Structures are given as structure tokens and as C-alpha cells.
Amino acid sequence: MDGGARALEAVARDADDAARSLASRDEALRRAVEHALLPKGDLAGRKQRFAYLQGATVQIFGSSASGLRTGAATDLDLCVVTPKHSVDAATARDLDAAASAKERSSGAVAARRRWKRARHELTVARDLLRKLKEKGGKDAPSVDEIDALEAELRDAEVAVASSGVAEAEAARRKAEQASKRAGNVVYDVERALRRDRRFADFVVVRRARVPIVKCVAGGVALDIVPGNELALHNSRLLKAYGDAAPAFRALVLVVKRWASARGLNSAPDGFLSSYAHTLCCLHFCLTKGLWPRDFHDAEPKQVQGVDVGFQPVARPDAAALTFEFVAEFFVYMRDVSSAEESAFALACRARPVLDRSDGHGAYCFDKERWAHKSNDALAACRRRLSIEDPFLTYDSSRPHDVATTLDRNGAEAVAAAYGRAAKVLAHDAFFKAERVDALLRPARETRLLRLIDAPPPPPRDARRAPRRSRR
């Protein structure tokens, strides 16, 4: 085993040591949260404030459950499941599906978009006409242009006022009210936890895609998510992939250490989340055949309206992670993230390729398959990475692109970091162990990183001083 392989093995060994030392702590925190959510005294019967919390169970998910945690500093993710909230959440999902069906059949979304565009264009034209008349301009919009815009607005208003569109919009409002009612469970969770002095520093993120309660207990940051049962199955899927191919787990640990050292794993700041980095590793390993196929060729299992069935498969000759495999990953991600415009999204389950001639393989699909709200949204998607969730696929009832957190600056920073990492691992003037160390350290902390960042030397002819003539 060379120095590079030993350095990579040390990352997985450190993660194993951390997992063993933190297992009892995680279980104690899980039990503490579950106990704190139990109704105390007559609180459960008073105005039904804690009706959602009756029969609550708490389970660990995320990197702590999937075996992909890099150290003790990682937050602990907890899922709260209650019978009452499960019923309300299912009702909200059914109403959302019914509203979406009515919107598609009536064209409500397109009609509302047309009305907004017509109103905006007419307002802009009227403002321009008023300003230019005040200044005596000659290029003001004509009366005919204003009349045409007003007619367009009237037609759009008629389309919006049609019975089908009105019914679709009423169904959408009803679905949003049900979703809001189900999402308000985070406030019940917060109030229940505040009764226990072991929990402090509460932050409720209600308007996130998945509402969440953040708090601290015993110096450990907790992310408590009510009703996120899909995350439990997602964690089990990733753990199954790691158990079947240790090289995948080791690669994820290395990539997450690298992203954390460079601040590239903060989704609220416009970068990719740790989960998105994990899916990039999963996509790459699938393309390299670490498993005979993906795990989704299994009996369907519906959870919250999504098929979460999977069946693990493994190769008998599963190999350990190598230095060359890590270097190849960063070269691959550099190429797919640095393209000015990419038409394909990264997938973690196979797609048919018999009718395709693009040469991108089974684990890619055209970004047009996402349900984009406009052409501008599609163009923005083409300028950044697009990563499909293994369960919330583009053709599921709740498609989710986990790379939507990337803003323009974040996309450029991530692409540059992939390229820099590929350059570091390819610098054969240093030992492999030194290159791995430079990869996992914060920027500019090693001689190799400073050498990579240094500007190129001037040409030899420019460095040579001109000869002075003897004459």
C-alpha cells in the first residue's frame, strides 16, 4: 500500500473511531428529545396545543445514520414522526396533487403568467410614455402600442377569470393552507422542547423546503425535522451503498473533508450541501461500476407518495479506495461543473439509453426533463450542476434537484475548487501522501497549495538580462 492509499485509509479510520465514540451520545440525545416531546400534565388537553406530539417517535437520520459522518463537529439530524402530523401531511400532499392536476388541465399557471407579463408590459409602457412626454421626447410609445397592450391585458384577464382557472386557483389555495397547517408542527416541537432546560438556542426555519427546528443540547447542534420519513429511507439507501462498496464510503468521507476545509458545503451560502456532495460521489461510483447496477430494481414501496424501494447488490471483488480513483473523481467533477452550459443532469439511478445517441451513459438525463417554470429557469439550470435525488426523481410526484442551492458565485467557486483539487492530485513532483494532505487542508496551508496558487514564472528570455555592448 502506497503513501496515498494509507493517507486515504486514515480518513475512513478517523470516521470509524468518531462513529464508535459518538454512538452512545447520539442515542442519549435521541431519547432526550423523545422524552421532551411527551405531553406533561394537562398540557396535551389544553387547546390541543400539543395534539401533534401525542405518540411521537424520534429517529436518527443523515450522516450519523448512513455512516458518512466525518467527525464530532457534525450536526445530529433527528426526525420526529407523529400519527396526527402524518395524517395532516398526507392530506396536504393529496390536495397538492389534485391542485397540480387541475392547473395542468386548465392551463392556470400559463394564464396567470400571461396576465402578469401583460400587466407589467403595460405599466412599463405607460410610465415610459409619461416620462418622455414630460421631457418632450420623440420616441414615446404610440397610442396604437398602448391600445394593443391594453387589449392583451384584457384577454389575459378573461383567461384568468375562466371557470377552469378559477377552480384550479381555489384548489391551489386550499392545498397551500393545508400545507401551512401541517408545517406549523415545528412551533409545537419548539414549545415542547423549551420546557426542557437541556435544550437552548432555538431557531425555527418554517419556510424552508422541509421545515426544521434547530437547537443545541449539551454543546451538540440538533436539526429536528418533523415528518421527514423520506430522509430515513435515504439514509438507509446510502448506508447500503457504503456497506456494499467501501470505496464509495471512503470517497464520500474524503470529499466531505475537502469541501468542509474550503467552505463549499454550506447550502444557505450558495454552495452545495454535504448531501449534494455525497450524491456526486454516488453518481461517479455508479458510472465506474462499483456495483453491478443501482439498487432501485426492487419491489415498489410507497412512503409519502414516493417509491423508496431498493435492493442492495454487491460485487464479490469490492476493492478499497485508491489514490487514482480519487484523482479521477475530481477530474470528472471538474469537467462536468466547469462547462459554460451543460444539457445533462447527474442521476443516481439508471435511465434508458437505447433511444439516445448523446454518449452520456445511463446515469445522466436531459435537464429539460425538470419541470422548469420558465425558459430563464432552464437557462440558469444549464449554467450550473444539476443533481437528481435518488428517490425524488424528475418523474416522481415530488421531483427535487439538490443542486438548486448553487447561485452563480457558488457555482463558479465549486467549479474552480474541483479544478484546483485535480491539479493538486496530479502534481507528481510531490509524494502522494503530501498531495492527499494538501487536498484535505484549508487553502494555502501547505507548500504544495502555495505552489499551485503561485503565478507562473516569466519566460526564460524575459528573465535574462540584456547584454551590454562593449562598444
Side-chain angles (χ1 to χ4, degrees):
M1 181 182 294
D2 58 28
R6 283 194 296 270
L8 295 172
E9 184 183 1
V11 176
R13 188 168 58 249
D14 292 344
D16 292 337
D17 294 341
R20 283 190 292 270
S21 64
L22 298 175
S24 59
R25 185 207 71 177
D26 294 346
E27 177 59 21
L29 289 171
R30 186 202 67 79
R31 288 199 303 267
V33 172
E34 193 169 78
H35 181 266
L37 295 180
L38 292 175
K40 304 294 191 300
D42 64 343
L43 288 177
R46 207 162 55 194
K47 296 183 181 179
Q48 296 184 345
R49 283 179 60 186
F50 295 91
Y52 274 178
L53 306 183
Q54 295 179 4
T57 59
V58 179
Q59 300 182 57
I60 299 173
F61 73 96
S63 59
S64 303
S66 62
L68 302 177
R69 177 166 50 187
T70 56
T74 309
D75 298 348
L76 181 62
D77 300 317
L78 299 172
C79 175
V80 178
V81 179
T82 68
K84 173 65 174 174
H85 177 253
S86 297
V87 171
D88 285 355
T91 301
R93 286 192 298 272
D94 292 342
L95 290 174
D96 180 75
S100 299
K102 288 185 177 181
E103 287 172 343
R104 286 192 297 270
S105 61
S106 65
V109 175
R112 177 64 65 177
R113 190 180 298 132
R114 177 190 173 193
W115 175 77
K116 288 182 178 179
R117 182 174 63 250
R119 185 181 61 174
H120 172 72
E121 291 177 353
L122 180 59
T123 302
V124 171
R126 284 173 174 171
D127 289 344
L128 180 60
L129 178 61
R130 177 180 53 80
K131 291 178 181 179
L132 291 178
K133 280 185 175 180
E134 291 175 355
K135 296 181 179 180
K138 298 181 180 180
D139 296 329
S142 65
V143 176
D144 293 339
E145 292 174 340
I146 297 294
D147 291 342
L149 291 174
E150 289 177 344
E152 173 66 18
L153 180 59
R154 285 193 298 271
D155 293 342
E157 289 174 345
V158 170
V160 169
S162 65
S163 60
V165 173
E167 290 177 2
E169 292 185 339
R172 174 54 59 194
R173 286 192 296 270
K174 187 176 180 180
E176 290 175 351
Q177 291 172 359
S179 177
K180 181 180 179 180
R181 190 163 50 250
N184 285 340
V185 66
V186 290
Y187 299 118
D188 292 335
V189 172
E190 181 207 13
R191 283 193 294 265
L193 293 177
R194 281 188 183 276
R195 297 176 295 162
D196 194 320
R197 294 184 178 180
R198 290 174 293 182
F199 302 96
D201 300 336
F202 288 90
V203 176
V204 177
V205 186
R206 170 62 184 85
R207 297 190 178 277
R209 192 182 68 87
V210 179
I212 185 172
V213 178
K214 293 177 175 287
C215 63
V216 176
V220 181
L222 305 180
D223 290 346
I224 304 173
V225 185
N228 193 14
E229 296 180 55
L230 285 178
L232 299 174
H233 294 275
N234 221 315
S235 301
R236 293 165 189 160
L237 173 67
L238 294 176
K239 188 176 189 308
Y241 272 117
D243 291 342
F248 161 68
R249 177 176 178 268
L251 176 64
V252 172
L253 295 173
V254 169
V255 171
K256 290 177 71 172
R257 281 271 300 272
W258 162 80
S260 177
R262 280 149 187 79
L264 300 174
N265 59 345
S266 177
D269 295 329
F271 300 108
L272 294 174
S273 63
S274 293
Y275 177 58
H277 285 292
T278 300
L279 293 187
C280 288
C281 297
L282 177 58
H283 163 81
F284 175 75
C285 291
L286 285 167
T287 62
K288 292 301 176 183
L290 258 64
W291 307 273
R293 55 173 174 80
D294 64 67
F295 292 0
H296 296 282
D297 186 11
E299 290 293 326
K301 179 181 179 180
Q302 292 292 319
V303 173
Q304 296 182 343
V306 177
D307 180 16
V308 298
F310 68 89
Q311 179 63 46
V313 290
R315 289 191 181 280
D317 56 345
L321 183 67
T322 64
F323 177 88
E324 290 73 20
F325 194 78
V326 176
E328 192 174 353
F329 167 80
F330 281 102
V331 171
Y332 178 86
M333 291 307 301
R334 177 201 64 192
D335 294 341
V336 300
S337 63
S338 60
E340 291 186 3
E341 187 170 300
S342 173
F344 291 91
L346 308 186
C348 296
R349 56 197 306 170
R351 305 297 181 191
V353 296
L354 296 178
D355 58 344
R356 286 168 42 183
S357 59
D358 49 71
H360 282 78
Y363 295 100
C364 288
F365 64 89
D366 197 309
K367 290 180 179 179
E368 289 187 356
R369 293 184 180 271
W370 291 117
H372 296 286
K373 294 182 178 180
S374 63
N375 291 333
D376 292 340
L378 174 59
C381 182
R382 291 188 184 280
R383 291 192 294 268
R384 61 161 175 82
L385 275 175
S386 180
I387 309 167
E388 183 188 44
D389 186 275
F391 292 139
L392 302 178
T393 58
Y394 75 83
D395 52 355
S396 69
S397 60
R398 296 156 58 188
H400 179 44
D401 179 359
V402 300
T404 53
T405 58
L406 277 175
D407 59 22
R408 186 168 184 174
N409 293 333
E412 293 176 356
V414 168
Y418 279 132
R420 188 166 177 265
K423 191 181 298 185
V424 166
L425 295 177
H427 206 296
D428 55 5
F430 290 80
F431 292 112
K432 291 181 179 179
E434 293 178 297
R435 286 180 259 174
V436 173
D437 180 65
L439 178 75
L440 301 180
R441 284 182 179 271
R444 304 186 67 83
E445 280 196 7
T446 66
R447 177 169 167 259
L448 174 54
L449 292 175
R450 290 192 294 270
L451 183 62
I452 291 292
D453 291 338
R460 183 178 299 274
D461 293 341
R463 292 194 302 243
R464 185 179 302 167
R467 294 184 179 182
R468 297 180 60 184
S469 175
R470 295 183 179 180
R471 295 184 180 180

